[in-house]
Amino acid sequence: MGGEKDGRPGEPRARRRGQGELETQVLTVLGGASEPVTAAWVQERLDGGLSYSTVITILTRLLDKQAVTRTGSGRPVLWQSTANGAGLTAFRMRRLLDQRDDRDAVLSSFVSALSPDDEALLRSLLSDNGSGPAGPPTDESES
């Protein structure tokens, strides 16, 4: 037989997705919607033939992370994105950081591992938000 099958004759087993990949795919699909949509709508647009129950599980996890909202208590339940893929990644990073007592060491290790371009971008973002070396923004009306 040469390769593993997923139960369908002649089709190779699908590759295992990375952690969070399905959540990102669902958020991308939801981000393309112009209004709240059903889980079935999301399922139809996802590449990979996921079951309806898998889509519901992913949407529920995203709801717990406040990355989506759910409207309606009856049927149909409608879903809408409140975060994009970058927002979800940032949420995961914050959650991991919150699990550590040594925040300084974790952040220091993270920054020291950045490429020079990423470090410059991070410095620029911190400066723009008033959290970086440039200090907090000044209120020009108080001058």
Side-chain angles (χ1 to χ4, degrees):
M1 274 201 173
E4 292 184 30
K5 308 282 183 191
D6 67 352
R8 289 176 281 195
E11 291 187 28
R13 174 182 249 166
R15 77 168 178 86
R16 184 157 175 87
R17 293 173 181 92
Q19 182 178 4
E21 188 176 340
L22 286 176
E23 291 176 347
T24 301
Q25 289 175 356
V26 168
L27 282 177
T28 300
V29 168
L30 284 175
S34 58
E35 59 189 5
V37 297
T38 65
W41 186 93
V42 173
Q43 180 192 20
E44 290 171 8
R45 283 152 184 84
L46 284 171
D47 194 24
L50 297 177
S51 71
Y52 182 80
S53 63
T54 299
V55 173
I56 290 293
T57 299
I58 296 164
L59 287 167
T60 302
R61 287 179 183 164
L62 290 169
L63 181 66
D64 292 343
K65 296 174 183 181
Q66 299 177 341
V68 300
T69 58
R70 175 185 161 157
T71 57
S73 56
R75 298 204 186 271
V77 172
L78 301 177
W79 302 87
Q80 187 168 20
S81 175
T82 61
N84 57 18
L88 184 59
T89 300
F91 172 82
R92 287 189 191 112
M93 292 169 65
R94 282 191 310 273
R95 189 177 62 202
L96 288 171
L97 185 60
D98 288 344
Q99 293 172 357
R100 299 297 306 244
D101 292 330
D102 54 348
R103 292 175 79 90
D104 291 351
V106 172
L107 287 171
S108 177
S109 294
F110 176 74
V111 170
S112 67
L114 292 174
S115 71
D117 290 342
D118 286 343
E119 184 178 348
L121 174 60
L122 181 59
R123 287 184 186 279
S124 173
L125 292 169
L126 290 172
S127 178
D128 289 348
N129 287 325
S131 303
T138 58
D139 185 353
E140 295 176 16
S141 64
E142 294 181 22
S143 304

